[in-house]
Amino acid sequence: MDEISFGTDGWRATLDTFTDDRVRVVGQAVADYLADEGFTAPVLVGYDARETSPGFAESLAEVVAGNGFDVLLPERDCPTPLVAYAIAERGLSGALMVTASHNPPEYNGVKFIPSDGAPALPDVTDAVAERLAEPDLLPESERGTIERVDVVSPHADHAMDLVGDDLSDLTVVYDAMHGSGRGVTDALLEAAGAEVVRLRCERDADFGGISPEPSAENLDGLAEAMADHDADLGVANDGDADRIGIATPDRGVLDENLFFAAVYDYLLESDAGPAIRTVSTTFLIDRIAEAHGEEVFETAVGFKWVADGMREHDALMGGEESGGFSVRGHVREKDGVLMGLLAAAATAEEDFDARLDRIEAEHGEIVADKISVACPDAEKARVIGELEGVLPETVAGRDIAKVVTLDGFKLLLEDGSWLLVRPSGTEPKMRVYAEAGSEDAVSSLLEAGRELVEPLV
């Protein structure tokens, strides 16, 4: 049990530590938490496309059913957002999801999603962690049932109702990266009328030997296929399809900050409402919101905080620069499947590149990037504490106008650019982010950030 540690998004570990016995301990803790909180409705146990995920899901189902809950298992591996939606759609007590998301194939993970379908906040994950114990199952006659169910169709129907656009004039290239979005995101786009060209849409538990992360370096084939098929849009999902990557004909693989800006701009054409963004996400969202008389609320990094902000402020859209987004009218969980459909709808309304050209003409260009500095998890708090004492008055020749301490240290500079240093919640690293009006300016800010952090590690 001392090997189980709940981080930013559940427990993830390499398979030498992520064992069946420990997974069953997590299942018992969740069952005890739900029972103590008075929940009685069924529990869903979902799983991604990794080789070990179906077996771990079956073990979790056995433990949760062994504590008296009826358990639902999907008919196939499935995206995390479909599990989250099923909780709300079926009125479930919650769900366990077996996934390591975009981590390499040698990892797996498990997270608990509460009854509202939004990411669990720390008070919930702490309560689960406090209950970690060996499984204690009821007699056979008192155990719940285990049933296979379809979670794909209800989510697809909801997404079509929510977005509702005809995509019959679009050609979209879809890259599943061998993950759980295959047969889901592509099928949804096709059902909406788009012509879909499929890449890496066969299940491969090793994800072709790479991490299923929809980053530019992993999506070379997406831009190439778009050119080959004269496609209007490229869409990619990570391993459990809760995040999205986008490519356009002119810009190639798009910075997620620009994707956020374009989709929020599109939504504001027919609706109104504030946006929620993390401290590491672009100020371009703020400029778009201000032009429409809307507000933007900043949160710490982690979609759980975005989701909580969406609830508090009835936000039209929430997102983070790492590619996780959701919108009003949907569960407050990042959903790369729905966002693929929404991106296509925005493209059908106005060419994505043309929209971004217009946004940059109205609000200015932004360039954003980040780097990582290796730092053991045990040293992160010390590094952040010592960083406060060595913050300079200027960064890369720019005066500091304000210091924001919502999550690490964010230095707002007088020219509108910024530098952020914070500890990673998923890896033994410190993250350094920067945004400015040019690539050279961002590079100089990132180098200044590195020079601040490295002597402290």
Side-chain angles (χ1 to χ4, degrees), residues 66-153:
N67 279 265
F69 289 92
D70 291 334
V71 175
L72 307 178
L73 280 169
E75 295 173 339
R76 51 155 284 182
D77 65 276
C78 63
T80 296
L82 274 62
V83 171
Y85 178 72
I87 296 170
E89 190 251 341
R90 292 174 174 266
L92 304 180
S93 293
L96 284 152
M97 180 67 193
V98 180
T99 181
S101 189
H102 60 278
N103 284 68
E106 63 269 22
Y107 280 76
N108 215 324
V110 60
K111 64 179 180 179
F112 171 61
I113 308 173
S115 60
D116 60 358
L121 292 170
D123 62 327
V124 173
T125 53
D126 289 349
V128 172
E130 289 169 1
R131 290 169 168 79
L132 294 172
E134 296 296 331
D136 182 16
L137 306 187
L138 296 168
E140 193 78 34
S141 61
E142 299 178 30
R143 297 179 186 180
T145 61
I146 299 176
E147 177 187 359
R148 293 279 178 176
V149 296
D150 172 22
V151 300
V152 177
S153 299

Side-chain angles (χ1 to χ4, degrees), residues 105-288:
E106 63 269 22
Y107 280 76
N108 215 324
V110 60
K111 64 179 180 179
F112 171 61
I113 308 173
S115 60
D116 60 358
L121 292 170
D123 62 327
V124 173
T125 53
D126 289 349
V128 172
E130 289 169 1
R131 290 169 168 79
L132 294 172
E134 296 296 331
D136 182 16
L137 306 187
L138 296 168
E140 193 78 34
S141 61
E142 299 178 30
R143 297 179 186 180
T145 61
I146 299 176
E147 177 187 359
R148 293 279 178 176
V149 296
D150 172 22
V151 300
V152 177
S153 299
H155 178 277
D157 292 343
H158 165 72
M160 293 285 282
D161 289 343
L162 187 62
V163 178
D165 284 63
D166 179 9
L167 308 182
S168 56
D169 292 332
L170 289 185
T171 298
V172 180
V173 179
Y174 175 64
D175 185 350
M177 302 193 77
H178 299 299
S180 293
R182 72 194 193 289
V184 179
T185 305
D186 50 330
L188 182 60
L189 290 164
E190 207 163 56
E195 179 183 346
V196 178
V197 178
R198 292 170 169 84
L199 298 179
R200 294 189 284 190
C201 281
E202 308 80 29
R203 180 175 180 248
D204 179 352
D206 290 327
F207 307 108
I210 65 170
S211 300
E213 168 88 15
S215 57
E217 57 266 29
N218 290 338
L219 297 179
D220 288 344
L222 183 61
E224 292 172 6
M226 287 182 64
D228 290 343
H229 294 275
D230 193 25
D232 302 286
L233 187 69
V235 175
N237 289 136
D238 67 336
D240 68 328
D242 64 347
R243 292 167 54 210
I244 189 169
I246 289 291
T248 68
D250 293 344
R251 296 170 185 252
V253 178
L254 202 64
D255 184 291
E256 290 89 343
N257 286 298
L258 293 178
F259 171 77
F260 190 174
V263 174
Y264 185 46
D265 178 80
Y266 165 69
L267 293 173
L268 285 169
E269 291 176 353
S270 58
D271 206 345
I276 309 296
R277 60 161 181 77
T278 62
V279 69
S280 60
T281 302
T282 179
F283 278 176
L284 185 55
I285 306 303
D286 304 56
R287 299 174 194 172
I288 293 170

Side-chain angles (χ1 to χ4, degrees), residues 411-444:
L411 311 181
L412 306 182
L413 308 180
E414 286 192 340
D415 65 352
S417 58
W418 53 264
L419 175 72
L420 168 67
V421 178
R422 58 173 295 276
S424 169
T426 57
E427 297 181 279
K429 297 176 180 179
M430 298 295 293
R431 306 287 195 203
V432 182
Y433 306 76
E435 177 172 283
S438 70
E439 291 184 7
D440 287 346
V442 166
S443 294
S444 66

Side-chain angles (χ1 to χ4, degrees), residues 21-72:
D21 287 344
R22 292 191 178 105
V23 167
R24 288 173 180 268
V25 164
V26 174
Q28 183 64 50
V30 168
D32 286 341
Y33 168 78
L34 292 173
D36 292 345
E37 293 294 318
F39 288 98
T40 58
V43 177
L44 179 63
V45 180
Y47 55 95
D48 69 10
R50 293 166 193 267
E51 182 177 1
T52 57
S53 292
F56 286 138
E58 290 172 1
S59 294
L60 286 168
E62 289 175 10
V63 171
V64 176
N67 279 265
F69 289 92
D70 291 334
V71 175
L72 307 178

